[in-house]
């Protein structure tokens, strides 16, 4: 369960304040699938960074499974980031000069999984995202969409209970995009909570609910009707 | 006039060959507006890098305004890249720790334009792309879509006669995307040649013609009917 309570985020640029989020409040239940939409610059990635425990609110509170995240120690936060939450960054954040397989294995190395086991898991995920023939390629030897798919595979490798995906299909053609959404769907059916940022309506509608941000505020929170 | 003649591009990964383009041939006339579509990994960015004189074919020839690019010296190539061609990279390639204004001014600094003049041109372009209030932000202080728009402004700052844009709206919501396409349209009406890579059909249809790549080959070359 995720509870965002009156959260504002204000970036400081020297003497200027840049408000990115303004008194945002909402909750997301366990195993819910929620999309976040909104214009460029409206605060979507800022909100995802807070939910993913990568950044903290300037004002307001964030509760994860009933516990206020601000009160957690560094070890608890590291365990949450590594085991509970899978994050697909908008900018991918792949390790340069490191091949696709190693990039995907990285979270498993931190989690102490054996070499044989992590090799098997990482390879099977790269195959799932259509990169069975790109294990040895470094990020500079992959196309934009292929890098994005490596980042998706890395986010899934620890079978997270919460998946945060920031524009996961932004660099993909509609076929590759649909394949990724199928993978997210099956993770959702296995019980995971999924929060997805997208600017494409047809992708947002894979979710049960869409939260709309504008200029840092929640301006709409709609259910997706399944006909 | 751009003429691609039987061009293949094969990347070498140790002992393995990775064919990215396979015997591609087509021509693009002065002041034509052409889109390139194709699945992730089909060779679109590789083709754009060759057309933009940033990479060379493994086999085949590339003619720009009747001159074979391979025969050009470094000074000619630098002048083409800086004055004739504007490039919006799929990965933006902005200078980190350098604010938006300076990033956009960069091509004008190389071209020897005065401080006052380049400040005026760069500011007006940032306003055109909706970033009038982000001059002082570095890339790390901008959202994904805002960074993309800085990269677009930088590509336009030298009023290029050829604009190469690789997924220019990939990180933008439909409103911001439409605003960018309006700017490209007006550049086209002033006589520029525009080549645009996209995976979104409605963006591709702003062009006169769509070239479809699949697995490194041109599989279709269609005119866009204007009704
Ligand atoms: N330096 C390299 N070394 C080896 N292979 C490479 C290299 N750069 C690209 N490739 C391969 O060449 C193929 C074409 O890449 P390219 O970047 O042109 O694709 P693209 O059509 O732009 O895809 P996307 O839509 O994902 O951006 C891909 O399969 C990619 O893995
Ligand atoms: N470190 C920072 N310092 C100052 N301002 C920032 C910083 N990071 C982000 N911003 C500003 O905060 C606002 C929200 O940014 P955010 O990245 O959350 O937008 P977004 O909704 O994800 O947009 P996009 O769709 O373009 O990715 C933007 O206007 C941006 O300029
Ligand atoms: Mg964002
Ligand atoms: Mg590409």
């Amino acid at each position: 369960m995720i509870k965002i309570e009156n959260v504002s985020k204000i970036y400081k640029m020297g003497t200027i304040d840049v408000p990115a989020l303004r008194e945002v409040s909402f909750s997301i239940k366990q195993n819910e699938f929620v999309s976040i939409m909104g214009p460029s610059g409206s605060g979507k990635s800022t909100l995802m960074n807070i939910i993913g425990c990568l950044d903290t609110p300037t004002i307001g509170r964030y509760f994860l499974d009933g516990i206020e995240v601000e009160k957690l120690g560094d070890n608890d936060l590291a365990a949450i980031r590594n085991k509970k939450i899978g994050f697909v960054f908008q900018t991918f954040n792949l390790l340069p000069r490191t091949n696709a397989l190693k990039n995907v294995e990285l979270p498993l190395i931190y989690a102490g999984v054996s070499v044989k086991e992590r090799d098997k898991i990482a390879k099977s995920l790269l195959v799932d995202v259509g990169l069975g023939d790109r294990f040895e390629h470094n990020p500079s030897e992959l196309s934009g969409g292929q890098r994005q798919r490596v980042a998706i595979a890395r986010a899934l490798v620890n079978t997270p209970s919460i998946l945060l995906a920031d524009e996961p299909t932004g660099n993909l053609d509609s076929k590759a995009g649909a394949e990724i959404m199928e993978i997210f769907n099956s993770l959702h059916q296995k019980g995971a909570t999924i929060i997805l940022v997208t600017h494409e309506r047809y992708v947002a509608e894979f979710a049960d609910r869409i939260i709309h941000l504008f200029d840092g505020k929640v301006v709409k929170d709609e259910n997706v009707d399944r006909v």
Side-chain angles (χ1 to χ4, degrees), chain A residues 94-106 109 134-142 147 150 154:
Chain A
L94 297 176
L95 290 188
R97 291 177 296 287
T98 309
N99 71 28
L101 189 61
K102 279 268 179 307
N103 262 292
V104 174
E105 283 183 355
L106 210 64
I109 295 172
R134 290 292 185 266
F135 292 165
E136 305 304 329
H137 287 236
N138 293 350
S140 66
E141 298 164 336
L142 293 169
R147 285 179 214 154
V150 172
R154 181 185 59 185

Side-chain angles (χ1 to χ4, degrees), chain A residues 39-219:
Chain A
S40 170
S42 57
K44 302 182 298 295
S45 294
T46 302
L47 182 57
M48 294 285 271
N49 288 337
I50 289 171
I51 297 174
C53 305
L54 298 168
D55 200 356
T56 54
T58 313
I59 312 169
R61 293 161 16 136
Y62 168 35
F63 296 89
L64 182 56
D65 294 339
I67 303 170
E68 190 171 357
V69 168
E70 197 173 39
K71 303 209 184 341
L72 289 171
D74 285 349
N75 288 346
D76 290 338
L77 279 178
I80 288 172
R81 282 192 209 107
N82 202 334
K83 294 228 175 69
K84 204 186 193 76
I85 295 177
F87 206 115
V88 182
F89 298 92
Q90 188 174 5
T91 48
F92 312 158
N93 296 348
L94 297 176
L95 290 188
R97 291 177 296 287
T98 309
N99 71 28
L101 189 61
K102 279 268 179 307
N103 262 292
V104 174
E105 283 183 355
L106 210 64
L108 295 173
I109 295 172
Y110 292 141
V113 173
S114 77
V115 175
K116 215 167 124 212
E117 186 60 20
R118 67 179 191 240
D119 189 72
K120 203 173 106 227
I121 299 172
K123 280 183 176 156
S124 113
L125 269 163
L126 281 168
V127 169
D128 285 353
V129 297
L131 294 177
D133 58 351
R134 290 292 185 266
F135 292 165
E136 305 304 329
H137 287 236
N138 293 350
S140 66
E141 298 164 336
L142 293 169
S143 79
Q146 290 169 339
R147 285 179 214 154
Q148 184 155 49
R149 283 180 281 157
V150 172
I152 290 167
R154 181 185 59 185
L156 299 172
V157 78
N158 252 335
T159 343
S161 54
I162 301 173
L163 176 69
L164 305 176
D166 195 343
E167 314 254 17
T169 62
N171 278 287
L172 300 180
D173 55 282
S174 39
K175 184 164 163 291
E179 285 164 16
I180 295 302
M181 294 313 296
E182 275 323 307
I183 296 173
F184 289 177
N185 251 345
S186 79
L187 195 73
H188 179 232
Q189 268 145 23
K190 289 184 199 140
T193 308
I194 297 183
I195 305 173
L196 172 86
V197 167
T198 179
H199 59 265
E200 297 178 275
R201 181 79 202 181
Y202 83 94
V203 171
E205 291 182 347
F206 275 85
D208 307 318
R209 187 177 150 202
I210 303 175
I211 294 173
H212 294 263
L213 285 182
F214 187 87
D215 215 8
K217 291 203 178 80
V218 175
V219 291

